[in-house]
């Protein structure tokens, strides 16, 4: 590897990956390309520069911006409108143009440069229509899958890659699935190599959390600075469950994937914190209270938002069996890392996250 291109490289995932790769592979030329669409991404620019990562202001919707980067060996495609709520109540144009057309531009530039691609996809490729119809128990603080579910791709471990893909999944999820399909076609047609990672919730320092994306950071920031929070949907009790993965654990996996790209070429993996790192909003509240010492009066908005789901946990067994990877940072470590980061950079972060 000589040159690594990270699209969305000023965003939460992209900037953290760029800096970690540069730390561990100092001889690599690493380029972070981003159009700074996400509010707060501009704060990562000095950090990229100080860590030896080259920043290129560019837009993946414009293929010439990608052309300008010149030859490279591998792309990690992290640019996106990453909100599952995008397009509901507003236009889906930006979402489609970035996640669909932009992703196609990224593939096309990989073809022209004979470069490989690691693609950041999402658990939201699995149809919410089907996930919503599963049977759930209401426990005291969270939803749980009803025992004895007999459906392909879902078990006590969570959702596996065998979960059926037919059904409505959100516009965001559909754009990501389309991009996945096209990457598979490019791998077959043009001999580029690639891996698809369907991630659950990713989090950690430098995530500019907001109500529609990055809820773990948002929750901690609101507790720390005594902001306002609401449990939205599913009767407003905060019982929705997700698994969460620290960005450093994702980095470890991508590093392995680069090292073993020949063996892993064409693979599709569910990647997340798994059952052990799952949390409901109500449980997250308790943890944030313990860490910050602050208790908020969280309001309820019972009506469920479009594209929400009550429960998602990644079944990581395939990626673990194929690569030996498993996450190392548990929820306590994830939250204490986020808390320390918020405290360290309070002045800079508060105007954005508060
Ligand atoms: N964070 C998560 O929980 C999560 C979960 C599953 C999948 N993902 C995927 O991981 C990837 C990274 O997400 P993230 O959490 O870092 O989000 P992010 O919003 O922090 O990063 C995305 C970056 O892409 C940039 N961008 C947007 N449109 C662009 C365009 N047209 N051209 C160039 N850059 C553009 C944004 O400015 C931003 O910096 C995305 O593909 C997302 O779908 C994220």
């Amino acid at each position: 590897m000589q040159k690594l291109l990270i699209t969305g490289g000023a965003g939460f995932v992209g900037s953290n990956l760029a800096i970690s790769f540069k730390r561990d592979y100092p001889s690599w030329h690493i380029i972070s390309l981003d159009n700074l669409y996400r509010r707060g991404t501009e704060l990562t620019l000095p950090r990229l520069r100080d860590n030896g990562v080259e920043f290129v202001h560019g837009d993946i919707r414009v293929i010439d911006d990608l052309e300008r980067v010149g030859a490279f060996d591998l792309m990690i495609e992290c640019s996106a409108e990453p909100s599952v709520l995008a397009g509901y109540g507003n236009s889906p144009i930006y979402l489609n143009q970035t996640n669909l057309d932009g992703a196609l531009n990224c593939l096309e530039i990989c073809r022209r440069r004979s470069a490989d691609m690691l693609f950041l996809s999402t658990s939201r490729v699995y149809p919410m229509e089907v996930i919503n119809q599963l049977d759930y128990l209401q426990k005291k603080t969270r939803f749980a899958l009803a025992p004895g579910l007999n459906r392909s791709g879902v078990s006590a471990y969570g959702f596996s890659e065998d979960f059926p893909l037919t059904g409505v999944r959100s516009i965001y999820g559909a754009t990501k699935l389309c991009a996945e399909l096209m990457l598979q076609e490019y791998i077959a047609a043009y001999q580029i190599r690639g891996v698809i990672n369907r991630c659950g919730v990713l989090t950690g320092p430098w995530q500019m959390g907001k109500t529609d994306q990055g809820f773990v950071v948002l929750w901690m920031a609101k507790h720390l600075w005594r902001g306002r929070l609401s449990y939205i949907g599913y009767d407003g009790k905060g019982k929705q469950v997700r698994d969460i993965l620290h960005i450093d654990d994702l980095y470890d996996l991508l590093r392995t994937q680069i090292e073993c790209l020949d063996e892993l070429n064409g693979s599709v993996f569910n990647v997340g914190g798994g059952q052990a790192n799952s949390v409901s909003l109500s449980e997250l509240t308790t943890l944030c209270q313990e860490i910050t010492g602050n208790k908020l009066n969280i309001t309820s908005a019972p009506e469920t938002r479009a594209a929400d789901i009550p429960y998602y946990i990644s079944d990581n067994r395939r990626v673990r069996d194929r690569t030996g990877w498993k996450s190392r940072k548990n929820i306590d470590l994830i939250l204490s890392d986020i808390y320390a980061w918020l405290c360290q950079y309070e002045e800079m972060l508060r105007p954005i996250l508060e």
Side-chain angles (χ1 to χ4, degrees):
M1 172 91 75
Q2 292 185 347
K3 198 156 150 190
L4 169 64
L5 173 60
I6 302 185
T7 50
F12 161 59
V13 172
S15 64
N16 279 299
L17 292 179
I19 288 167
S20 298
F21 275 114
K22 191 67 188 173
R23 177 195 64 212
D24 294 341
Y25 301 92
S27 66
W28 291 4
H29 178 182
I30 300 183
I31 296 184
S32 279
L33 180 141
D34 203 295
N35 68 351
L36 304 182
Y37 163 77
R38 174 84 174 248
R39 185 164 178 243
T41 44
E42 65 284 357
L43 301 181
T44 64
L45 299 186
R47 196 169 154 253
L48 291 172
R49 185 194 59 225
D50 295 347
N51 285 281
V53 174
E54 183 187 348
F55 173 70
V56 170
H57 190 270
D59 193 316
I60 64 161
R61 294 171 299 170
V62 182
I63 200 157
D64 288 350
D65 284 6
L66 293 162
E67 273 285 0
R68 275 196 293 123
V69 169
F72 60 93
D73 304 292
L74 182 124
M75 175 190 288
I76 305 181
E77 218 291 75
C78 305
S79 55
E81 164 47 83
S83 168
V84 74
L85 296 184
Y88 294 97
N90 53 32
S91 163
I93 286 284
Y94 188 84
L95 171 70
N96 292 339
Q97 288 181 343
T98 291
N99 297 16
L100 268 180
D101 304 348
L104 286 177
N105 284 340
C106 290
L107 281 170
E108 177 52 18
I109 215 75
C110 284
R111 183 191 72 78
R112 291 183 197 172
R113 303 294 186 198
S114 303
D116 303 313
M117 179 189 278
L118 302 185
F119 183 61
L120 267 283
S121 188
T122 170
S123 58
R124 302 307 300 259
V125 298
Y126 298 115
M128 58 186 179
E129 218 172 52
V130 186
I131 294 174
N132 278 323
Q133 280 160 10
L134 299 175
D135 288 335
Y136 297 97
L137 302 177
Q138 283 219 32
K139 303 223 165 171
K140 191 156 171 260
T141 60
R142 62 158 65 196
F143 290 115
L145 283 170
L149 269 183
N150 189 13
R151 190 179 262 277
S152 150
V154 59
S155 72
Y157 293 98
F159 292 77
S160 81
E161 297 82 355
D162 298 327
F163 198 73
L165 280 169
T166 306
V168 166
R169 72 202 77 242
S170 76
I171 306 171
Y172 164 70
T175 60
K176 292 299 234 183
L177 184 59
C178 290
E180 281 190 11
L181 293 174
M182 286 306 285
L183 172 54
Q184 287 167 334
E185 295 300 330
Y186 267 61
I187 291 170
Y190 305 118
Q191 287 79 46
I192 66 172
R193 297 174 301 173
V195 175
I196 292 165
N197 293 294
R198 292 178 177 161
C199 301
V201 171
L202 305 167
T203 191
W206 299 99
Q207 183 170 42
M208 302 300 161
K210 47 194 183 99
T211 45
D212 59 344
Q213 210 257 348
F215 75 91
V216 181
V217 164
L218 179 84
W219 225 253
M220 183 64 83
K222 294 283 185 185
H223 274 85
L224 179 59
W225 296 319
R226 295 175 184 275
R228 270 188 294 192
L229 282 175
S230 190
Y231 294 129
I232 303 175
Y234 300 100
D235 290 337
K237 302 214 170 71
K239 291 191 180 182
Q240 297 99 308
V241 173
R242 300 289 188 270
D243 62 334
I244 64 176
L245 185 74
H246 194 288
I247 183 67
D248 290 349
D249 280 323
L250 179 72
Y251 167 69
D252 286 347
L253 174 63
L254 297 196
R255 196 177 159 173
T256 305
Q257 290 181 349
I258 290 177
E259 280 163 9
C260 307
L261 203 43
D262 272 335
E263 299 104 274
L264 298 176
N265 185 25
S267 301
V268 178
F269 294 128
N270 285 358
V271 175
Q275 192 63 256
N277 271 11
S278 68
V279 69
S280 71
L281 277 180
S282 139
E283 292 160 356
L284 185 60
T285 298
T286 306
L287 295 167
C288 290
Q289 276 172 12
E290 282 168 12
I291 294 175
T292 61
N294 294 336
K295 192 168 177 359
L296 303 182
N297 181 18
I298 300 182
T299 55
S300 279
E303 201 171 317
T304 304
R305 293 188 292 197
D308 204 356
I309 49 175
Y311 183 95
Y312 184 87
I313 291 178
S314 313
D315 178 345
N316 283 317
R317 285 176 298 166
R318 182 190 286 180
V319 69
R320 186 199 60 201
D321 293 349
R322 293 284 308 283
T323 66
W325 171 87
K326 72 186 209 327
S327 65
R328 291 174 298 129
K329 295 204 169 177
N330 63 21
I331 292 189
D332 289 344
L333 273 173
I334 295 173
L335 295 182
S336 57
D337 243 19
I338 292 171
Y339 177 70
W341 167 68
L342 292 173
C343 294
Q344 183 178 355
Y345 295 98
E346 171 165 357
E347 202 181 321
M348 179 171 90
L349 295 173
R350 207 166 162 163
I352 287 181
L353 294 173
E354 199 175 18

